[in-house]
Amino acid sequence: MNHLGTKEIKTQRLTLRKFNENDAVMAYRNWTSDEKVIKFLTWPVHQSVDVTKKVLNDWIESYQDLSFYQWAIVLDEINEPIGSISVVDINEQTNMGHIGYCIGSQWWHQGITSEAFAAVIQYLFEEVKVNRIETQHEPDNPNSGKVMKKCGLTYEGTLRQAMHSNQGIVDACVYGILASEYFQKKQ
């Protein structure tokens, strides 16, 4: 892989960029305190903006590592971060990146997550040179799977009781796309 770190990416409606300290209040208001958002995630709802500040500060420090990929999803029309998308796991031996994402519930079902994910897929395949991108969702969260399919990932199977979320130990519906598939579809 050709690690380049979290570079700014522009799409039709979004700017994907590094988080900064000024994002904490908006992140808390827009998604980290939203019970609906964290239902199927692995971290608890933030009880105060101070929790969000601590998380963002940890991410900001990690930007020095070029193998760290964590973007704020900024909706350009309001110029506020409304969610995040990141490479939550990297396997250097297989050149694989595992993606995680979330946005505030008031922006669900508007194609925003798909727009952000498609841009990250392009960046990871074309610039970072990953060979495989994968992600997963719980069976009770099918809308996340719709994002994955819309972005060209293939459903590869369900691993039984393979992950832990705020729902407990749950099954994991796994999706993936290979660089060869991405570039073939692009032609």
Side-chain angles (χ1 to χ4, degrees), residues 59 68-71 84-89 98-101 120:
W59 290 345
F68 181 75
Y69 301 93
Q70 177 74 52
W71 290 271
S84 68
I85 186 164
S86 62
V87 179
V88 296
D89 186 35
H98 185 103
I99 309 299
Y101 49 76
V120 167

Side-chain angles (χ1 to χ4, degrees), residues 7-119:
K7 287 188 172 181
E8 185 172 293
I9 304 170
K10 297 285 286 177
T11 70
Q12 183 177 350
R13 300 178 289 173
L14 308 172
T15 300
L16 307 181
R17 62 160 173 80
K18 293 178 180 178
F19 281 94
N20 63 62
E21 292 175 359
N22 298 325
D23 292 330
V25 171
M26 291 175 283
Y28 180 74
R29 180 182 66 233
N30 290 340
W31 80 93
T32 65
S33 64
D34 187 337
E35 293 278 352
K36 292 182 213 162
V37 171
I38 63 94
K39 182 176 180 180
F40 298 110
L41 299 179
T42 59
W43 46 270
V45 70
H46 292 186
Q47 297 299 323
S48 72
V49 73
D50 290 334
V51 175
T52 302
K53 283 180 186 176
K54 183 184 179 329
V55 170
L56 294 189
N57 284 333
D58 289 345
W59 290 345
I60 292 165
E61 285 182 29
S62 295
Y63 287 132
Q64 295 174 43
D65 177 358
L66 291 181
S67 67
F68 181 75
Y69 301 93
Q70 177 74 52
W71 290 271
I73 301 172
V74 177
L75 184 59
D76 291 338
E77 73 180 37
I78 61 171
N79 195 30
E80 289 187 17
I82 61 165
S84 68
I85 186 164
S86 62
V87 179
V88 296
D89 186 35
I90 293 174
N91 184 322
E92 296 284 352
Q93 290 181 317
T94 60
N95 290 337
M96 183 275 298
H98 185 103
I99 309 299
Y101 49 76
C102 63
I103 66 169
S105 61
Q106 76 180 83
W107 294 282
W108 289 355
H109 310 296
Q110 298 175 34
I112 293 169
T113 305
S114 298
E115 187 173 327
F117 191 20

Side-chain angles (χ1 to χ4, degrees), residues 87-160:
V87 179
V88 296
D89 186 35
I90 293 174
N91 184 322
E92 296 284 352
Q93 290 181 317
T94 60
N95 290 337
M96 183 275 298
H98 185 103
I99 309 299
Y101 49 76
C102 63
I103 66 169
S105 61
Q106 76 180 83
W107 294 282
W108 289 355
H109 310 296
Q110 298 175 34
I112 293 169
T113 305
S114 298
E115 187 173 327
F117 191 20
V120 167
I121 289 169
Q122 179 179 3
Y123 174 70
L124 293 175
F125 280 137
E126 294 184 13
E127 296 189 45
V128 179
K129 308 297 185 198
V130 301
N131 180 58
R132 174 181 166 81
I133 293 172
E134 70 177 32
T135 191
Q136 61 191 31
H137 71 86
E138 292 182 32
D140 289 341
N141 186 16
N143 288 324
S144 190
K146 290 176 184 175
V147 168
M148 297 167 194
K149 288 178 191 172
K150 186 175 179 180
C151 290
L153 280 75
T154 300
Y155 171 72
E156 296 180 340
T158 298
L159 304 176
R160 297 175 301 145

